[in-house]
Amino acid sequence: MMSRSRLLTIARKELRHIFRDWQTLVVVLVMPVMMMFLYGYALNADAKDIPCLIEDPSPSPETRAIASKIDASSLFAVEGHVFTADDPAELFRLYQVRAIFRFPPDFARDLHRPGGAHVQALVDGSDPNMGAIIRNAADPILLGATLDVVGMRQPRVLDLHTLILYNPEQRSALFFVPGLMAVILLMISALLTSVAIAREKELGTMGQLLVSPLRPLEIIVGKILPYLLLAAVDGFLVLAVGRLAFGVRIAGNPWFLAACSLVYIFTALSIGLLISTIAKRQQHAMFMALGATMMPTVILSGFIFPVLSMPLPLRILSHIIPATYFLEIVRGIILKGVGLAELWKPLAALAGEGLLLTAIAIRKFKVKL
């Protein structure tokens, strides 16, 4: 049975230590904001002004008009025109472009003949994502520009209306910023608590705890509470920066998001506590916390790469990572506006994982040195 007074005593002790170490406190509060700006602007998959080249051996009003329309598009920026090239690969190296549009010598003449004209688009495939964007966009841009030049409209065989929900402008920030919340909260929370017990061991103050009437559960919970509050402040800062700097609005219930975030923070703090019961030094605990949270979260949680495209062993491994469940929750609430009826499964998995990790941490916590 936990004693409320003993619990508050250990929580106040931990809180006083946090405020005494003001330099660490500043880092903890400033680092999430810096990471939001750094990752928020760096993780941008929106492509625009992709450098390209026009190879036109017989310049004509038609080819110049089509080249102008390619350059006027937001996706491409024409870096230059060449008459002909024996080795297109040399043009890629010389002009540092990502695509080359090659018009044949008889393009203007063939354009008005039955069967139409041909244009070749050479794409730099060294970056698969960028190559796929260019490949998917080149055909409709060229077709639309050519039809405008000859004054024709594309015949309609199927009237397809595509409507994109939740992120109609397909902005990368709306996808990555909620994911950053999962990465930052997990890393900061685990880092904060990973040194909690390790610090007591390193400073030799563990003996004072051993002779006190405190129970392992009271020590663990008492150490979690101040960091839970601090991580919640970090979560608020992340959402504020996401709203003010990247225009990310919460489509769902913000109080439900706050409640889910507390469950996630609790799970992250449990990871840190479990690490702190194993590590003997603060430095070791910090390295273990970063290794256990940062890399698996970024690579395996679905933050950048879709979990469904991973091999089966990695998909199974991704279900161990708390961020996998929180990403589903936070993107569901912020982007889709869904609630508990749709998200109870990942929320239950997250809470279960947090309770399990806390139970293991308490079990591993040794009252004897």
PDB file of all heavy atoms in Angstrom, residues 131-145:
ATOM      1  N   GLY A 131      12.636  10.495 -58.026  1.00  0.00           N
ATOM      2  CA  GLY A 131      12.390   9.920 -59.342  1.00  0.00           C
ATOM      3  C   GLY A 131      10.931   9.575 -59.556  1.00  0.00           C
ATOM      4  O   GLY A 131      10.374   9.796 -60.635  1.00  0.00           O
ATOM      5  N   ALA A 132      10.286   9.024 -58.519  1.00  0.00           N
ATOM      6  CA  ALA A 132       8.865   8.677 -58.635  1.00  0.00           C
ATOM      7  C   ALA A 132       8.002   9.927 -58.787  1.00  0.00           C
ATOM      8  O   ALA A 132       7.033   9.937 -59.559  1.00  0.00           O
ATOM      9  CB  ALA A 132       8.432   7.884 -57.397  1.00  0.00           C
ATOM     10  N   ILE A 133       8.356  11.001 -58.065  1.00  0.00           N
ATOM     11  CA  ILE A 133       7.598  12.262 -58.184  1.00  0.00           C
ATOM     12  C   ILE A 133       7.701  12.812 -59.593  1.00  0.00           C
ATOM     13  O   ILE A 133       6.703  13.219 -60.208  1.00  0.00           O
ATOM     14  CB  ILE A 133       8.122  13.287 -57.149  1.00  0.00           C
ATOM     15  CG1 ILE A 133       7.785  12.831 -55.726  1.00  0.00           C
ATOM     16  CG2 ILE A 133       7.537  14.669 -57.419  1.00  0.00           C
ATOM     17  CD1 ILE A 133       8.396  13.705 -54.644  1.00  0.00           C
ATOM     18  N   ILE A 134       8.933  12.817 -60.154  1.00  0.00           N
ATOM     19  CA  ILE A 134       9.129  13.345 -61.517  1.00  0.00           C
ATOM     20  C   ILE A 134       8.390  12.476 -62.526  1.00  0.00           C
ATOM     21  O   ILE A 134       7.726  12.980 -63.436  1.00  0.00           O
ATOM     22  CB  ILE A 134      10.635  13.407 -61.839  1.00  0.00           C
ATOM     23  CG1 ILE A 134      11.338  14.395 -60.904  1.00  0.00           C
ATOM     24  CG2 ILE A 134      10.854  13.812 -63.291  1.00  0.00           C
ATOM     25  CD1 ILE A 134      12.849  14.404 -61.053  1.00  0.00           C
ATOM     26  N   ARG A 135       8.509  11.156 -62.367  1.00  0.00           N
ATOM     27  CA  ARG A 135       7.869  10.244 -63.325  1.00  0.00           C
ATOM     28  C   ARG A 135       6.351  10.409 -63.328  1.00  0.00           C
ATOM     29  O   ARG A 135       5.713  10.434 -64.385  1.00  0.00           O
ATOM     30  CB  ARG A 135       8.219   8.800 -62.960  1.00  0.00           C
ATOM     31  CG  ARG A 135       7.747   7.779 -63.988  1.00  0.00           C
ATOM     32  CD  ARG A 135       8.092   6.380 -63.583  1.00  0.00           C
ATOM     33  NE  ARG A 135       7.374   5.976 -62.380  1.00  0.00           N
ATOM     34  CZ  ARG A 135       7.948   5.614 -61.257  1.00  0.00           C
ATOM     35  NH1 ARG A 135       9.268   5.622 -61.165  1.00  0.00           N
ATOM     36  NH2 ARG A 135       7.251   5.266 -60.199  1.00  0.00           N
ATOM     37  N   ASN A 136       5.770  10.562 -62.146  1.00  0.00           N
ATOM     38  CA  ASN A 136       4.317  10.699 -62.067  1.00  0.00           C
ATOM     39  C   ASN A 136       3.824  12.059 -62.557  1.00  0.00           C
ATOM     40  O   ASN A 136       2.690  12.174 -63.026  1.00  0.00           O
ATOM     41  CB  ASN A 136       3.847  10.482 -60.623  1.00  0.00           C
ATOM     42  CG  ASN A 136       4.103   9.065 -60.150  1.00  0.00           C
ATOM     43  OD1 ASN A 136       4.117   8.129 -60.953  1.00  0.00           O
ATOM     44  ND2 ASN A 136       4.321   8.883 -58.861  1.00  0.00           N
ATOM     45  N   ALA A 137       4.685  13.086 -62.422  1.00  0.00           N
ATOM     46  CA  ALA A 137       4.235  14.427 -62.789  1.00  0.00           C
ATOM     47  C   ALA A 137       4.550  14.785 -64.227  1.00  0.00           C
ATOM     48  O   ALA A 137       3.875  15.642 -64.822  1.00  0.00           O
ATOM     49  CB  ALA A 137       4.887  15.457 -61.859  1.00  0.00           C
ATOM     50  N   ALA A 138       5.565  14.167 -64.830  1.00  0.00           N
ATOM     51  CA  ALA A 138       6.016  14.573 -66.166  1.00  0.00           C
ATOM     52  C   ALA A 138       4.929  14.352 -67.217  1.00  0.00           C
ATOM     53  O   ALA A 138       4.683  15.223 -68.069  1.00  0.00           O
ATOM     54  CB  ALA A 138       7.285  13.803 -66.539  1.00  0.00           C
ATOM     55  N   ASP A 139       4.277  13.213 -67.168  1.00  0.00           N
ATOM     56  CA  ASP A 139       3.293  12.889 -68.212  1.00  0.00           C
ATOM     57  C   ASP A 139       2.124  13.881 -68.243  1.00  0.00           C
ATOM     58  O   ASP A 139       1.824  14.443 -69.307  1.00  0.00           O
ATOM     59  CB  ASP A 139       2.793  11.458 -68.016  1.00  0.00           C
ATOM     60  CG  ASP A 139       1.903  11.016 -69.161  1.00  0.00           C
ATOM     61  OD1 ASP A 139       2.350  11.103 -70.311  1.00  0.00           O
ATOM     62  OD2 ASP A 139       0.753  10.608 -68.896  1.00  0.00           O
ATOM     63  N   PRO A 140       1.445  14.143 -67.115  1.00  0.00           N
ATOM     64  CA  PRO A 140       0.324  15.093 -67.202  1.00  0.00           C
ATOM     65  C   PRO A 140       0.751  16.510 -67.547  1.00  0.00           C
ATOM     66  O   PRO A 140       0.016  17.223 -68.252  1.00  0.00           O
ATOM     67  CB  PRO A 140      -0.306  15.021 -65.801  1.00  0.00           C
ATOM     68  CG  PRO A 140       0.708  14.393 -64.925  1.00  0.00           C
ATOM     69  CD  PRO A 140       1.535  13.513 -65.791  1.00  0.00           C
ATOM     70  N   ILE A 141       1.934  16.941 -67.082  1.00  0.00           N
ATOM     71  CA  ILE A 141       2.385  18.307 -67.409  1.00  0.00           C
ATOM     72  C   ILE A 141       2.679  18.429 -68.904  1.00  0.00           C
ATOM     73  O   ILE A 141       2.253  19.394 -69.556  1.00  0.00           O
ATOM     74  CB  ILE A 141       3.634  18.658 -66.576  1.00  0.00           C
ATOM     75  CG1 ILE A 141       3.242  18.863 -65.109  1.00  0.00           C
ATOM     76  CG2 ILE A 141       4.309  19.918 -67.114  1.00  0.00           C
ATOM     77  CD1 ILE A 141       4.419  19.171 -64.193  1.00  0.00           C
ATOM     78  N   LEU A 142       3.384  17.443 -69.467  1.00  0.00           N
ATOM     79  CA  LEU A 142       3.691  17.482 -70.901  1.00  0.00           C
ATOM     80  C   LEU A 142       2.436  17.367 -71.748  1.00  0.00           C
ATOM     81  O   LEU A 142       2.276  18.066 -72.759  1.00  0.00           O
ATOM     82  CB  LEU A 142       4.662  16.350 -71.255  1.00  0.00           C
ATOM     83  CG  LEU A 142       6.142  16.615 -70.977  1.00  0.00           C
ATOM     84  CD1 LEU A 142       6.950  15.349 -71.186  1.00  0.00           C
ATOM     85  CD2 LEU A 142       6.658  17.731 -71.888  1.00  0.00           C
ATOM     86  N   LEU A 143       1.536  16.466 -71.335  1.00  0.00           N
ATOM     87  CA  LEU A 143       0.301  16.286 -72.103  1.00  0.00           C
ATOM     88  C   LEU A 143      -0.546  17.555 -72.095  1.00  0.00           C
ATOM     89  O   LEU A 143      -1.049  18.000 -73.135  1.00  0.00           O
ATOM     90  CB  LEU A 143      -0.499  15.111 -71.532  1.00  0.00           C
ATOM     91  CG  LEU A 143      -1.832  14.797 -72.222  1.00  0.00           C
ATOM     92  CD1 LEU A 143      -1.606  14.434 -73.685  1.00  0.00           C
ATOM     93  CD2 LEU A 143      -2.567  13.661 -71.501  1.00  0.00           C
ATOM     94  N   GLY A 144      -0.689  18.169 -70.930  1.00  0.00           N
ATOM     95  CA  GLY A 144      -1.479  19.405 -70.846  1.00  0.00           C
ATOM     96  C   GLY A 144      -0.859  20.525 -71.641  1.00  0.00           C
ATOM     97  O   GLY A 144      -1.569  21.270 -72.337  1.00  0.00           O
ATOM     98  N   ALA A 145       0.482  20.654 -71.566  1.00  0.00           N
ATOM     99  CA  ALA A 145       1.162  21.715 -72.319  1.00  0.00           C
ATOM    100  C   ALA A 145       1.018  21.499 -73.817  1.00  0.00           C
ATOM    101  O   ALA A 145       0.775  22.444 -74.585  1.00  0.00           O
ATOM    102  CB  ALA A 145       2.644  21.751 -71.925  1.00  0.00           C
TER     103      ALA A 145
END
